[in-house]
């Protein structure tokens, strides 16, 4: 901070920012200004620094758009500063995370809770309409063949967990059956755009005074591909039976939320993308997210993540594959 003219003196009022299960975030003050520091997890994974570095670039690009996001202040790619981790500083967001708790207004006003889901979709639709080339992200991903790569990519990820000797292998449902269905029903074309990559109710900050989204956060999985996967991701995680804690449990338990159908209809109103194959994107989201979360279970068994979190995410993976099968069967 000294080298980039961000004040002088000690870091004051240092507190962790809660709500996530992986990356580390800390809030602090220096020289009369507040900051949020974000870095990878305590136990860095092989791609942790790359993911955080990609966030640098995404947040800078989003500054040219109307997508609600935390404003980027400064970045550091020198891994000697924080014990091997790259990191960045951003502006604090005046809002709350619904996975932590609800303010009085949102807890007591059913209409506000209903409208929170609609505003989630509004933020997502805004992102889906951004011209990624115009904002400097033309080389940020590999959109060609994006949909074709998904199933083999995530089957390979699941296989990679066998590197942990303590992991007995996946017991998460009909993985091969879902994979075949996805290959057989894959859409034939799509329009590339920015994908958040982990869009659900726990990865946004809501306004304290209404249902609006103050900022979409946690951009480390962002890439260029098919933005409809973000909508599928939101619907895959929306009021998921038996696994509310990962996706804004307090909001889910409070009830009176917009239905999945209402969310899809809102997206159709606000975005210019056709939803003919929406079920496929929801099933893909269940498949992909379930495999990602199972990785935390495997790492927990190897002592590289808290066992409580690993067990909880394993249960969530089971629920995601159950939802995928239900959708595949047309129910």
């Amino acid at each position: 901070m000294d080298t980039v003219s961000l004040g002088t003196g000690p870091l004051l009022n240092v507190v962790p920012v809660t709500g996530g299960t992986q990356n580390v975030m800390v809030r602090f003050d220096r020289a009369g200004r507040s900051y949020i520091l974000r870095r990878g997890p305590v136990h860095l994974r092989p791609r942790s620094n790359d993911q955080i570095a990609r966030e640098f670039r995404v947040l800078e690009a989003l500054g040219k758009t109307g997508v609600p996001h935390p404003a980027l202040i400064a970045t550091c790619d020198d891994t000697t500063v924080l014990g091997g981790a790259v990191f960045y500083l951003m502006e604090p967001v005046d809002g709350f995370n619904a996975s932590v708790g609800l303010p009085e207004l949102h807890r007591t006003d059913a209409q506000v809770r209903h409208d929170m889901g609609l505003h989630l979709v509004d933020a997502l639709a805004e992102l889906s309409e951004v011209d990624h080339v115009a904002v400097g992200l033309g080389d940020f991903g590999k959109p060609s063949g994006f949909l074709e790569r998904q199933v083999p990519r995530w089957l390979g990820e699941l296989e990679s967990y066998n590197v942990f000797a303590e992991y007995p292998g996946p017991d998460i449902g009909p993985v091969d059956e879902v994979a075949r269905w996805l290959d057989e029903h894959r859409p034939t074309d799509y329009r590339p755009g920015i994908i958040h990559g982990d869009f659900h109710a726990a990865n946004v900050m809501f306004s304290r005074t209404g249902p609006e989204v103050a900022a979409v956060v946690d951009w480390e999985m962002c890439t260029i591909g098919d933005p409809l996967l973000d909508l599928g991701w939101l619907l895959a995680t929306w009021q998921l039976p038996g696994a509310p804690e990962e996706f804004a449990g307090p909001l889910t338990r409070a009830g009176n939320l917009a239905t999945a159908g209402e969310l899809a209809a809102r997206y159709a109103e606000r975005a210019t993308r056709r939803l003919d194959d929406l079920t496929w994107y929801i099933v893909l989201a269940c498949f992909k997210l379930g495999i990602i979360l199972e990785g935390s279970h495997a790492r927990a068994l190897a002592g590289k993540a808290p066992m409580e979190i690993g067990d909880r995410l394993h249960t969530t993976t089971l629920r995601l594959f159950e939802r995928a099968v239900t959708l595949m069967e047309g129910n």
Side-chain angles (χ1 to χ4, degrees), residues 1 5 9 14 46 61 82 99-100 108 119 161 213 227 229 252 254 273 277 306:
M1 294 180 73
S5 302
V14 181
L82 277 186
S99 70
V100 177
T108 59
H119 284 281
Y161 302 155
V213 170
L229 180 52
T252 300
R273 297 175 183 272
D277 296 306

Side-chain angles (χ1 to χ4, degrees), residues 244-327:
E245 297 306 319
E246 314 317 322
F247 314 116
L251 177 61
T252 300
R253 289 192 297 271
N256 204 70
L257 304 187
T259 66
E262 287 179 295
L263 299 184
R266 180 78 161 210
Y267 189 92
E269 292 174 2
R270 300 300 175 96
T272 58
R273 297 175 183 272
R274 296 181 59 182
L275 302 184
D276 303 39
D277 296 306
L278 181 56
T279 296
W280 188 87
Y281 290 97
I282 303 172
V283 172
L284 175 60
C286 291
F287 177 82
K288 178 177 176 179
L289 179 54
I291 289 174
I292 290 171
L293 297 183
E294 181 67 1
S296 292
H297 180 230
R299 285 186 291 274
L301 289 170
K304 298 181 179 298
M307 199 65 236
E308 177 187 357
I309 292 176
D311 286 342
R312 200 176 75 222
L313 296 182
H314 177 70
T315 298
T316 301
T317 291
L318 295 175
R319 302 293 87 80
L320 285 165
F321 272 89
E322 288 168 4
R323 173 162 281 183
V325 171
T326 297
L327 289 166

Side-chain angles (χ1 to χ4, degrees), residues 42-105:
V42 174
H43 298 287
L44 291 173
R45 305 172 196 167
R47 296 189 297 272
S48 292
N49 281 341
D50 290 340
Q51 290 171 336
I52 295 296
R54 286 172 68 83
E55 284 194 46
F56 299 174
R57 191 170 169 195
V58 171
L59 292 178
E60 182 178 21
L62 292 176
K64 307 167 188 175
T65 75
V67 177
H69 67 282
L72 185 66
I73 298 174
T75 67
C76 181
D77 58 8
D78 182 350
T79 57
T80 68
V81 178
L82 277 186
V86 303
F87 65 96
Y88 64 89
L89 301 176
M90 57 184 167
E91 297 280 1
V93 175
D94 184 13
F96 72 94
N97 188 316
S99 70
V100 177
L102 303 179
E104 180 71 13
L105 171 65

Side-chain angles (χ1 to χ4, degrees), residues 90-236:
M90 57 184 167
E91 297 280 1
V93 175
D94 184 13
F96 72 94
N97 188 316
S99 70
V100 177
L102 303 179
E104 180 71 13
L105 171 65
H106 303 71
R107 188 171 61 252
T108 59
D109 193 321
Q111 188 62 50
V112 168
R113 291 195 302 276
H114 177 272
D115 291 348
M116 288 168 72
L118 301 181
H119 284 281
L120 267 176
V121 172
D122 290 348
L124 190 55
E126 181 79 24
L127 176 64
S128 77
E129 297 300 302
V130 172
D131 183 335
H132 62 284
V133 176
V135 298
L137 296 178
D139 61 346
F140 193 68
K142 298 177 181 179
S144 178
F146 176 80
L147 297 182
E148 291 81 0
R149 291 195 302 270
Q150 293 305 301
V151 169
R153 162 72 177 86
W154 295 105
L155 287 176
E157 179 75 7
L158 185 61
E159 179 68 23
S160 74
Y161 302 155
N162 291 324
V163 71
F164 301 114
E166 301 85 350
Y167 182 58
D171 182 14
I172 56 177
V175 174
D176 292 338
E177 178 185 340
V178 176
R180 283 194 299 272
W181 186 92
L182 287 168
D183 278 337
E184 291 168 0
H185 295 83
R186 184 172 55 244
T188 56
D189 60 70
Y190 78 99
R191 175 159 52 97
I194 301 174
I195 305 176
H196 176 273
D198 194 18
F199 194 91
H200 54 76
N203 277 344
V204 305
M205 301 289 286
F206 287 99
S207 167
R208 298 184 186 278
T209 59
E212 297 81 14
V213 170
V216 181
V217 298
D218 292 2
W219 292 87
E220 75 266 24
M221 292 176 65
C222 181
T223 190
I224 306 302
D226 191 335
L228 285 176
L229 180 52
D230 273 342
L231 179 60
W233 205 273
L234 175 61
L235 297 179

